[in-house]
Amino acid sequence: MSALLTVEDLRITFPTRQGPSEVVRGVSFTLGRERLGIVGESGSGKSQTGRALLGLTPPPGTATAKRLEFDGIDLRSASPKQWRALRGGRMSMVMQDPKFSLNPVMTIGRQIMEALAFHGRSSRAEKKARAMAMLEAVQIRDPERVFRAYPHELSGGMGQRAMIAMMLVTEPDLLIADEPTSALDVTVQIEVLRILDALVTDRGMGLIFISHDLRLVASFCDRVLVMYAGRVVEELKASELDRAQHPYTQGLMNCLPKIDNDTRPLPTMTRDASWAL
Amino acid sequence: MSGATKTGGRSRALPFAWKAVKLLASVALTFLGLLFVTFLIGRVVPVDPVLSVVGDRASQAVYDRVYIELGLDKPLIQQFWIYLQKVFTGDFGDSFMTKRPILDDIMRVFPATLELATFGVILGTILGVPLGVLAAVKQGRLADQVVRVVGLIGYSAPIFWLGLLGLLIFYAKLGWVAGPGRIDISYEYDITPATGLLLIDSAMQGKWAAFGNIFSHIILPASLLGYFSMAYISRMTRSFMLNELAQEYVIAARVKGVPEWRIIWVHALRNAAVPLVTVIALSYAGLLEGSVLTETVFAWPGLGQYLTNSLQNADMNAVLGGTLVIGVVFVGLNLLSDLLYTLLDPRVRRRG
Ligand SMILES: Nc1ncnc2c1ncn2[C@@H]1O[C@H](COP(=O)(O)OP(=O)(O)OP(=O)(O)O)[C@@H](O)[C@H]1O
Ligand SMILES: [Mg+2]
């Protein structure tokens, strides 16, 4: 499998009053046209890793890497113009919180069409048709209404689906999905996963799927990175998750409640300070 | 309830109508309160309204007759009722100084103030908003510092000092602009008063020489007011923009590959415009009521000067009438900014 994305020794640092704080500390991985899951607890650096891949580390934070290549393009030296062509066009990201990630004074339709406006030429009617098709694809029942709606008029789950539609409408080669299904109920969650899955298998899209949910990641992805305190502590095939070596991953596995044998009291995880070293 | 109201339109039309009613009610109440306050001021100040009518050499009999004519023997609440009736028929009494009805006087001086303040706030907005955006985008850099210093001078320099300095340089030394006043006497009778806004009247009547003269009179005081309003507007724009540019939807737009100019001027500014409307309206109201010093320095025959003169001559009717006009302007601008706010923010618009 040819590598779509190569990341080597990615580090992200934020200056703080106590001196620089490194929130991502040497992450390396490669991604083909496959589904890569990233799991890890809150604050372990999953979202910041995803943003750095798009060159969107929020200032005053800085990201450095030994290698950061997307389809043969060295992202570290990409010009603003190159970035604009890549973002939205070839790489995209479904953001974690639809409530804040949609512009409150712009209709959903305009925001989706805007994604198309800067990548290739198409007429307004074509853009609208593609936006509507995309809204239908993410299982929105009343796409005409949602197209004209403002973000505050949608429920959390509808907002999340509108966001997914907005980020997928340009048919990118790489999609970073930051907890794309957390706000959705189970049936819709499955639909959304099916859409993402189809994009990977049919169109050869590369997918980075960020989640808290180890069970979901294990069943949906091909490979899993486990992050802890800014590091990748383990990289596994999804099918081999039960062979995990690292105590944090094992702990996560043991925390999954099992349906068949009723565990009481519920297991708790004890974190070892040495894991964060 | 008739059947027609049960259609789908009802759910949208009704909240809006309700909102309009609430808004009108609050305006009416504000206005009534304003009338009551001006009425009370008129009773409390140590100026005898009878004396200002009859003069101080009138006999006791004449004094008593006027005292009763003015209704001053009646209870306060009844007097207020009489006052209300008069105000609603446009009768604010006569001016002690000019001997003319107050309404006529105000109609004559108010357009001068309105024209100056409007010119000022337009200048302040078209300069202040882009400068504020620039300062926010270049936060902490040279452009930001320059905008800040320019704004700081606008905040702290006394207006009469800047006004006199401006007159000295641009009028006396360089001769680029005309001096104090609204218009040279030689042009004054060229124009038939219509709106009272001389720039508009002269332009509509095609009197371009007069227009040029009026423009060269107004440009200096308007720039001065524009400078003050620019200082305020740019500072507020900067802080609203900084807030918007830190939002997640800005990052989402970058993820989509939207160019930076569009993120700034369309995404962020469109959101910042919602609170900005209120700021601009406040600034406008400030220019309308606070132009006394400017009008004095530039011998501008506006409401500020009229009020100052009336106050100095204890012309209470005129003072109260002028105060009412300012109050009405304030309420009106508030109403306008409320409506614009509703128009700009879909979250308010559809909540009803
Ligand atoms: N702008 C910032 N300034 C300073 N520190 C930041 C900033 N943004 C994130 N961080 C820190 O970086 C670390 C990683 O954050 P990140 O958002 O990547 O976590 P995450 O793994 O996505 O967590 P979650 O599952 O809660 O979304 C956190 O400790 C956070 O405090
Ligand atoms: Mg996150």
Side-chain angles (χ1 to χ4, degrees):
Chain A
M1 200 179 286
S2 71
L4 185 62
L5 180 74
T6 312
V7 181
E8 203 180 308
D9 198 23
L10 176 68
R11 289 171 186 277
I12 300 167
T13 313
F14 285 99
T16 65
R17 234 166 276 132
Q18 291 83 37
S21 126
E22 210 173 35
V23 302
V24 171
R25 309 184 291 165
V27 166
S28 306
F29 63 91
T30 57
L31 176 79
R33 301 186 178 272
E34 59 175 332
R35 291 154 298 210
L36 173 71
I38 301 184
V39 287
E41 60 186 1
S42 189
S44 55
K46 307 183 297 293
S47 296
Q48 290 303 336
T49 301
R51 284 191 182 187
L53 301 180
L54 283 164
L56 291 174
T57 300
T62 49
T64 59
K66 286 217 182 79
R67 259 180 93 191
L68 200 58
E69 259 177 45
F70 171 76
D71 201 18
I73 304 165
D74 185 356
L75 296 178
R76 295 172 309 169
S77 57
S79 66
K81 193 165 165 242
Q82 268 178 307
W83 269 123
R84 275 204 305 279
L86 285 173
R87 290 184 198 137
R90 301 200 56 202
M91 323 164 82
S92 195
M93 176 164 73
V94 174
M95 313 225 326
Q96 196 164 352
D97 197 335
K99 222 200 199 89
F100 300 109
S101 309
L102 291 166
N103 186 336
V105 300
M106 231 189 233
T107 59
I108 300 292
R110 268 191 71 195
Q111 295 190 56
I112 298 178
M113 281 163 53
E114 191 186 38
L116 291 168
F118 300 100
H119 305 285
R121 305 219 163 276
S122 53
S123 70
R124 213 196 115 80
E126 276 172 300
K127 283 194 210 105
K128 169 148 193 198
R130 280 178 71 181
M132 293 292 287
M134 202 62 233
L135 284 173
E136 270 168 52
V138 292
Q139 303 290 309
I140 283 176
R141 283 202 213 315
D142 190 357
E144 192 67 51
R145 182 183 81 81
V146 171
F147 187 88
R148 276 183 281 113
Y150 286 94
H152 74 277
E153 296 171 315
L154 303 183
S155 69
M158 291 243 272
Q160 185 67 285
R161 276 177 277 171
M163 153 76 57
I164 292 170
M166 176 167 95
M167 294 310 185
L168 281 179
V169 72
T170 52
E171 309 192 336
D173 295 314
L174 167 67
L175 181 74
I176 300 156
D178 195 348
E179 318 222 8
T181 58
S182 323
L184 306 178
D185 62 60
V186 181
T187 48
V188 182
Q189 190 173 343
I190 290 168
E191 283 305 333
V192 168
L193 292 178
R194 192 169 293 154
I195 296 161
L196 294 178
D197 192 51
L199 285 166
V200 176
T201 42
D202 303 346
R203 286 200 36 250
M205 184 179 81
L207 174 69
I208 297 178
F209 189 92
I210 298 174
S211 176
H212 284 115
D213 188 340
L214 187 59
R215 195 205 313 261
L216 181 73
V217 168
S219 62
F220 177 65
C221 294
D222 306 305
R223 275 188 307 139
V224 181
L225 298 182
V226 182
M227 284 188 73
Y228 187 83
R231 279 185 204 287
V232 175
V233 293
E234 188 135 39
E235 181 176 348
L236 290 160
K237 282 211 174 91
S239 53
E240 296 170 351
L241 218 52
D242 47 350
R243 266 181 258 159
Q245 298 290 309
H246 196 273
Y248 173 67
T249 323
Q250 288 172 348
L252 271 185
M253 297 292 295
N254 291 336
C255 283
L256 294 179
K258 295 188 182 67
I259 310 287
D260 39 1
N261 56 349
D262 193 0
T263 338
R264 272 173 217 278
L266 286 170
T268 49
M269 168 136 45
T270 27
R271 289 163 176 78
D272 192 321
S274 67
W275 298 351
L277 293 180
Chain B
M1 192 183 283
S2 74
T5 57
K6 286 198 176 142
T7 56
R10 184 184 157 213
S11 56
R12 277 203 185 183
L14 207 61
F16 188 77
W18 178 232
K19 199 174 162 185
V21 168
K22 275 202 296 196
L23 213 59
L24 281 179
S26 86
V27 168
L29 259 176
T30 315
F31 194 61
L32 205 68
L34 191 68
L35 281 169
F36 191 63
V37 170
T38 52
F39 169 76
L40 278 187
I41 293 172
R43 302 303 125 166
V44 169
V45 289
V47 176
D48 189 333
V50 183
L51 277 189
S52 66
V53 174
V54 298
D56 47 9
R57 264 172 293 172
S59 67
Q60 188 63 35
V62 174
Y63 183 95
D64 289 344
R65 187 168 50 77
V66 173
Y67 188 82
I68 291 172
E69 259 176 27
L70 289 176
L72 292 172
D73 55 334
K74 303 207 173 71
L76 210 59
I77 191 74
Q78 208 171 340
Q79 288 185 36
F80 182 54
W81 178 241
I82 294 168
Y83 178 66
L84 274 188
Q85 282 173 323
K86 280 191 174 167
V87 165
F88 277 104
T89 52
D91 178 8
F92 297 91
D94 288 350
S95 162
F96 174 57
M97 259 177 0
T98 62
K99 307 287 178 223
R100 272 182 304 211
I102 300 293
L103 196 63
D104 290 3
D105 276 355
I106 287 175
M107 295 293 252
R108 198 167 39 77
V109 296
F110 184 62
T113 298
L114 186 67
E115 188 166 40
L116 184 58
T118 308
F119 203 153
V121 82
I122 289 173
L123 283 179
T125 306
I126 57 181
L127 290 174
V129 171
L131 282 179
V133 170
L134 182 76
V137 172
K138 306 272 178 200
Q139 188 195 5
R141 306 237 285 279
L142 185 68
D144 187 17
Q145 309 292 358
V146 170
V147 171
R148 195 190 320 229
V149 169
V150 168
L152 210 63
I153 296 172
Y155 267 119
S156 42
I159 196 160
F160 62 88
W161 183 79
L162 274 188
L164 287 174
L165 196 71
L167 276 175
L168 187 71
I169 296 173
F170 297 108
Y171 168 58
K173 277 252 180 332
L174 298 171
W176 289 357
V177 301
R182 267 184 108 184
I183 183 170
D184 286 354
I185 300 175
S186 49
Y187 292 107
E188 198 164 347
Y189 299 100
D190 275 9
I191 302 165
T192 352
T195 61
L197 307 171
L198 292 185
L199 281 174
I200 292 177
D201 285 354
S202 62
M204 278 192 328
Q205 290 159 26
K207 304 274 166 55
W208 295 110
F211 181 87
N213 181 260
I214 294 160
F215 187 83
S216 75
H217 272 282
I218 201 174
I219 186 71
L220 191 58
S223 303
L224 195 65
L225 291 184
Y227 184 40
F228 285 96
S229 121
M230 182 271 279
Y232 177 51
I233 291 173
S234 69
R235 193 163 96 156
M236 297 312 280
T237 305
R238 177 182 184 273
S239 96
F240 294 147
M241 280 298 284
L242 281 179
N243 180 40
E244 293 304 329
L245 287 171
Q247 301 294 316
E248 286 284 291
Y249 71 78
V250 166
I251 297 179
R254 290 200 182 113
V255 168
K256 287 193 285 182
V258 176
E260 205 61 17
W261 63 264
R262 193 177 152 85
I263 289 178
I264 294 164
W265 296 98
V266 178
H267 282 267
L269 186 59
R270 185 61 186 64
N271 278 279
V274 176
L276 254 187
V277 163
T278 312
V279 164
I280 292 171
L282 269 177
S283 170
Y284 191 26
L287 294 191
L288 277 169
E289 58 171 329
S291 51
V292 177
L293 281 174
T294 323
E295 291 187 359
T296 309
V297 172
F298 290 92
W300 198 261
L303 188 63
Q305 231 188 34
Y306 180 71
L307 273 180
T308 322
N309 279 340
S310 311
L311 214 53
Q312 279 163 357
N313 293 291
D315 191 350
M316 272 333 277
N317 281 345
V319 172
L320 294 184
T323 312
L324 255 185
V325 169
I326 288 173
V328 169
V329 163
F330 211 87
V331 173
L333 276 176
N334 253 317
L335 195 68
L336 191 72
S337 85
D338 261 16
L339 286 176
L340 274 176
Y341 198 99
T342 317
L343 223 62
L344 285 173
D345 192 343
R347 285 160 295 189
V348 185
R349 195 190 311 155
R350 298 214 183 155
R351 204 181 292 141

